[in-house]
Amino acid sequence: MKTIMITAAALACLATLPTIASAGQDVDMTELTCKEFMGDPDGIMPTIFWIDGYLSKATGNTFIDPDQMVKNVQDVIEACKDNPDQKIFDLFN
């Protein structure tokens, strides 16, 4: 049941994905900074889901761990507090 709820939330979040950029504008996720990430509360979860999917492809991990997703968001927010110019993508590498 928890997985279904997370999946539904992810799909709902994906509908708001363009919030980090203007609609129709490409976003280079490797260049997204903490300042941009933190400045768009509606884009936080879609961004985390995108990064998780990207890294899952690289590692072959096909599972969604809801608890880990929440921890990832908390970790990114904590790391971004003192370094607004840090690139989000680099926090996961």
Side-chain angles (χ1 to χ4, degrees), residues 2-24:
K2 194 174 188 180
T3 302
I4 292 170
M5 291 179 68
I6 292 296
T7 303
L11 292 175
C13 288
L14 289 176
T16 64
L17 187 56
T19 58
I20 288 184
S22 300

Side-chain angles (χ1 to χ4, degrees), residues 63-78:
F63 292 90
I64 293 177
D65 180 347
D67 296 330
Q68 185 62 48
M69 296 293 276
V70 170
K71 184 178 179 330
N72 289 348
V73 171
Q74 293 168 339
D75 290 348
V76 169
I77 290 171
E78 188 61 34

